[in-house]
């Protein structure tokens, strides 16, 4: 499989895409001035402690206070196997922090909507092969390293170089590496932690003491692994920095870094169209079927439909084939869109357990390509597939889109008929309550068209009164739901209205 990373950098934003066999599987976008906060370390000050919620609010210098759960002190432990098999107990929040106390915290989740950032007291400093955990003292290995012999070997190697009193997690990228390959990572991370500690002792809360790397360098650290064929970047300054970093950490990969002086790098790789597709609810499959993706605050639902795919002469075979192709595309879309949390998939109903197992196997196999932890729970009694995916970043739609200012994020507006009937009611009220000879009604052209369609010599959709005139003016720039009814106060104003409006 050809694996390629494309980094498009300009003064306003950085965009990075991971492509597998020329198909985009992951896209990251970071805007200047709106860099993500996840990974940042702050010296904060506890504002108040809520024992009933097992949480505290911490001022870290942002617009809203951060939220600290008692359990977040051990947040990442569940994803690793500890060397002694121990699982630390979750302490009571009132036994850890007090109101007014200065505390070192790290951001786990960016602020969303009215919610502040979510933070933890369990600090992690990631490197290329290892993660330093200065607040604990143990060795862990990523669960994605599956071979028992390799897990034992890695623990033995790391135990020889682990700094006293600090913890280390072996990342998946460390598989097959020797002791010498880890020494540079350990030295860099321990020096970084010493610098952070020194800054913490010098500053007063609230204050940022360590900022996470920009997007490009996070990608180098987390995604640019030995199975990556090449990294293409279009900015010479970043190109030189990347080569300097890789020259120290992974010199055998230097020849895979390529500079392309092309401002439209995403266009060259067809990624602009891919970005537009990421924002669409409907995703077409190659066979003519399609899936519909709807995201809410609580969960994401995905519906599978046969669409234009009619299959052969066997209905169940057609359904199984559609569901299998959909399962593969769903796994890719989860990565591409950065979807996390609870996910419910409504595959086309399958009654054969063999077909059900086949579809679940395709889904699980494709999800193994994903570096983010996921868990497929199986099929419910209602025939829905339940799964979870760890939410470690905001989805791509959160970066590229905002709630619609017209519909408020509902995704719907009033129908033409509903708007017209509202106009009819308001106009009728004005005619009944006021004694004005002329009114000007400003409406969207689509609503005006509906008015004329529903008006004949015998029947009128809008009210009419003897000796009263209603003038209709079409306003293309208006929102389709909006309208206004204005009294025309004078003959002079009426002459002006005649030039742009029609008498109803």
């Amino acid at each position: 499989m050809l694996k390629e990373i494309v980094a498009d950098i300009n003064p306003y934003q950085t965009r990075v895409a991971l492509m597998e066999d020329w198909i985009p599987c992951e896209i990251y976008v970071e805007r200047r001035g709106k860099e993500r906060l996840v990974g940042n370390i702050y010296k904060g000050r506890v504002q108040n402690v809520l024992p009933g919620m097992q949480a505290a609010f911490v001022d870290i210098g942002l617009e809203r206070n951060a939220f600290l759960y008692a359990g977040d002190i051990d947040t990442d432990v569940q994803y690793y196997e500890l060397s002694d098999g121990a699982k630390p107990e979750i302490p009571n929040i009132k036994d850890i922090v007090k109101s007014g106390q200065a505390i070192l915290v790290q951001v786990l989740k960016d602020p969303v909507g009215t919610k502040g950032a979510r933070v933890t007291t369990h600090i992690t400093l990631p490197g290329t092969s290892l993660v330093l955990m200065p607040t604990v003292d143990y060795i862990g290995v990523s669960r994605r390293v599956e071979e028992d012999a390799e897990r034992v070997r890695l623990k033995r190697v790391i135990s020889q170089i682990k700094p006293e009193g600090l913890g280390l997690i072996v990342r998946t990228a460390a598989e097959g590496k020797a002791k010498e390959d880890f020494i540079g990572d350990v030295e860099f991370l321990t020096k970084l932690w010493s610098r952070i500690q020194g800054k913490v002792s010098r500053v007063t809360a609230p204050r940022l003491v360590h900022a996470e790397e920009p997007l490009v360098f996070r990608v180098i650290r987390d995604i640019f692994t030995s199975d990556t064929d090449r990294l293409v970047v279009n900015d010479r300054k970043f190109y030189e920095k990347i080569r300097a970093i890789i020259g120290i950490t992974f010199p055998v990969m230097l020849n895979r870094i390529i500079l392309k002086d092309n401002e439209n790098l995403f266009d060259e790789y067809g990624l602009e169209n891919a970005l537009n597709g990421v924002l669409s609810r409907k995703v077409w499959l190659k066979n003519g079927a399609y899936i519909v993706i709807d995201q809410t605050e609580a969960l994401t639902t995905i519906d599978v439909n046969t669409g234009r795919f009619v299959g052969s002469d066997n209905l169940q075979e057609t359904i199984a084939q559609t569901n299998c192709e959909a399962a593969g595309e769903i796994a890719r879309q989860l990565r591409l869109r950065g979807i996390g949390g609870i996910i419910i998939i409504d595959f086309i109903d399958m009654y054969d357990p063999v077909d059900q197992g086949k579809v679940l196997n395709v889904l699980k196999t494709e999800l193994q390509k994903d570096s983010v932890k996921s868990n497929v729970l199986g099929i419910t009694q209602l025939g829905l597939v339940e799964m979870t995916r760890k939410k470690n970043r905001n989805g791509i739609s959160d970066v590229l889109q905002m709630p619609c200012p017209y519909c408020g994020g509902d995704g719907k507006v009033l129908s033409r008929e509903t708007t017209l009937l509202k106009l009819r009611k308001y106009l009728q009220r004005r005619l009944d309550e006021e004694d004005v000879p002329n009114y000007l009604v400003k409406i969207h052209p689509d609503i005006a068209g509906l008015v004329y369609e529903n008006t004949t010599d015998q029947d009128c959709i809008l009210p009419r009164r003897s000796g009263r005139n209603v003038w209709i003016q079409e306003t293309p720039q208006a929102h389709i739901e909006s309208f206004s009814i204005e009294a025309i106060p004078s003959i002079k104003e009426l002459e002006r209205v005649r030039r742009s409006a029609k008498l109803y």
Side-chain angles (χ1 to χ4, degrees), residues 59 86 97 207 277 291 334 406 442:
D59 180 10
V97 296
R207 185 71 63 88
I291 61 177
L334 296 179
Y406 298 110
K442 295 180 179 179

Side-chain angles (χ1 to χ4, degrees), residues 310-319:
V310 295
S312 56
D313 59 351
N314 188 307
L315 175 61
Q316 291 307 311
E317 184 179 319
T318 300
I319 291 173

Side-chain angles (χ1 to χ4, degrees), residues 436-474:
V436 177
N438 292 286
Y439 286 94
L440 175 63
V441 175
K442 295 180 179 179
I443 52 177
H444 189 276
D446 287 357
I447 307 301
L450 195 61
V451 169
Y452 299 133
E453 288 174 19
N454 288 274
T455 300
T456 64
D457 293 336
Q458 293 77 32
D459 190 20
C460 303
I461 187 69
L462 294 182
R464 282 176 171 168
R465 297 287 189 274
S466 177
R468 319 281 284 280
N469 295 320
V470 174
W471 300 81
I472 295 179
Q473 184 180 80
E474 298 182 19

